[in-house]
Amino acid sequence: MSRVLVGVKRVIDYAVKIRVKPDHSGVVTDGVKHSMNPFCEIAVEEAVKLKEKKFIKEVVAVSCGPTQVTETIRTALAMGCDRGIHVEVSGKDYEAMGPLQISKIFAALAKKEEASLVILGKQAIDDDCNQTGQMTAALLDWPQGTFASEVTIDGEKVKVVREIDGGLETIKISMPAVLTADLRLNTPRYATLPNIMKAKKKKIANMKPADLGVDMVSRLEVLRVDEPPTRLAGVKVETVDDLVAKLKANGTI
Amino acid sequence: MFTAINRRSLGQLPCLAQRFQSTLVIAEHNNNQLTPITLNAITAASKVGGEVTCLVAGTNCAKVADQISKVQGVKKILVAQHDCYKGLLPEELTPLILATQKQFNFTHICAGASAFGKNLLPRVSAKLDVATLSDITEVKSQDTFVRTIYAGNALATVKCNEKVKVFTVRGTSFEPAAVEGGSAATEQVASPSPAGMSEWLEQSLTKSDRPELTSAKVVVSGGRGLKSGENFKLLYDLADKMGAAVGASRAAVDAGYVPNDMQVGQTGKIVAPELYIAVGISGAIQHLAGMKDSKIIVAINKDPEAPIFQVADYGLVEDLFKAVPEMTAALKK
């Protein structure tokens, strides 16, 4: 019986159409709806399921960022995580924070909490990096089961079915390990009102990266953020023949 | 000796620094055939401006090394053949890449942004204590790259001040390197002892005679509007007429109509074919992220308000069950 760390990230809600700031320094986040990164929800669900199946005894939800990320941790607690850790990062450090810094925090916490699994989403839908899980595994020197669509614990090993380009592959990795969740791993549950109320009583510990000995310096510099080129408006065609004729005319088919 | 010269010239003439760029491309392959995205990664590596080296690791490398030796722009091939590279597990490949890096001191390390590259490179990067740049779409200079964020709704230009630049390359953003005319030298490299913390068990690949999705010239994709897996046959018929690959939206995959590896979008595959035909797909942000760089987009949807029509060059508002068979028939003529 062991412990799982689950990483949850607060991101702009997936349904929001983002806007680039006029000064090209980033995207507008003030006053925009935020929620838990969809892949993190899947990671939380998987961790809670493993607990329900009695493979693990405790699920700890972790988020790095400003005060608002405690809401994201609360959501994870309402879904069934036992307690939370808020690693407080704000201002310039938060703006520059990337997967490398976050993975250092997770690696330090995994050791401190003596976790046997770290479960993360495969990517955050804001920076689209798809790196934190892999980096955390590297820093801990643990094996990684990325893009997992099925996870089975078998003693000290984890069997992971992974989504790869041509289909699926199955690997067996030894614990402790890092897993990253793909969309197909499970369907996250909704937090019920009683569980949301209960979650308010659960503990969220607060710490700083420095408490974990993590240096937040980043050597990546975002020079500018632009809107992607917009496509020219197209035309509506009336019939299939018309469509085929148009495609033939411009040499597409 | 070279290091000494390198260091001295750098001290005297900083402008020469660019001459000493060297990029390692991690080749993706299945022991028999080089995966096409590696050719796009080689092009991106050439744009960095230095010497390009390719690392081929696997249980059987001869054939692939031979293929790469003819690829234009590759100067050297490093071959590491060992049984521990079965399944190309990142736990085994990472120590090999680190050893190679120690020996040759590359300024850049890259791979295609496929499931393979995404799985491997961040692990390598963290071991080198440097950040990774994922899925770059443009090389501005040896240290400045462009990548998309927020499902392709913004482009970030990022300067990387790391000692080693580690990045994955969006295949559709770079032309594949020519597979003839090159003449790279091959060198064997020693494999570090196996890490043994992971084991590859099996693979179940989706078999298809159609072209591979990410490199197909024409892609026909279906969404929830197809209503069932059986109805996808309509798309397969149309695709076969056009020599096209078949893709799908997340809705179609989640509903079980088609396997996951056919998903096009932010979290699936990124495609940029000459022609993309979206059938019964509404055009959610996450789907557009995977196909909006297609040259020509055609949408067939009975809902005239569907967001897909905002990006479509040609839109046909019609029931797909009528339009698709008609189109297949029209192409037979």
Side-chain angles (χ1 to χ4, degrees), chain A residues 129 131 144 146 219 221, chain B residues 91 119 134 159 162 292:
Chain A
C129 277
Q131 301 169 8
Q144 64 195 49
T146 52
R219 287 173 296 267
E221 211 182 311
Chain B
E91 293 81 6
N119 190 31
S134 293
K159 183 163 184 276
E162 302 284 10
K292 69 177 177 190

Side-chain angles (χ1 to χ4, degrees), chain A residues 104 122 126 128-129 131 134 144 146 165-166 168 170 172 184 219 221 223-224 226 231 235 237, chain B residues 91 118-119 129 134 150 155 157 159 161-162 199 202 204 206 263 266-267 269 292 294 313 315:
Chain A
K104 286 177 181 173
K122 80 160 176 181
D126 51 359
D128 281 335
C129 277
Q131 301 169 8
Q134 294 87 314
Q144 64 195 49
T146 52
D165 290 335
L168 297 169
T170 311
K172 201 183 210 178
R184 250 68 58 173
R219 287 173 296 267
E221 211 182 311
L223 300 182
R224 58 182 288 137
D226 293 282
R231 292 187 74 97
V235 292
V237 292
Chain B
E91 293 81 6
K118 289 175 183 172
N119 190 31
D129 192 24
S134 293
Y150 290 94
L155 303 174
T157 305
K159 183 163 184 276
N161 299 313
E162 302 284 10
E199 188 190 344
E202 60 173 357
S204 60
T206 311
Q263 186 186 328
Q266 182 184 17
T267 63
K269 302 221 164 74
K292 69 177 177 190
S294 305
D313 298 283

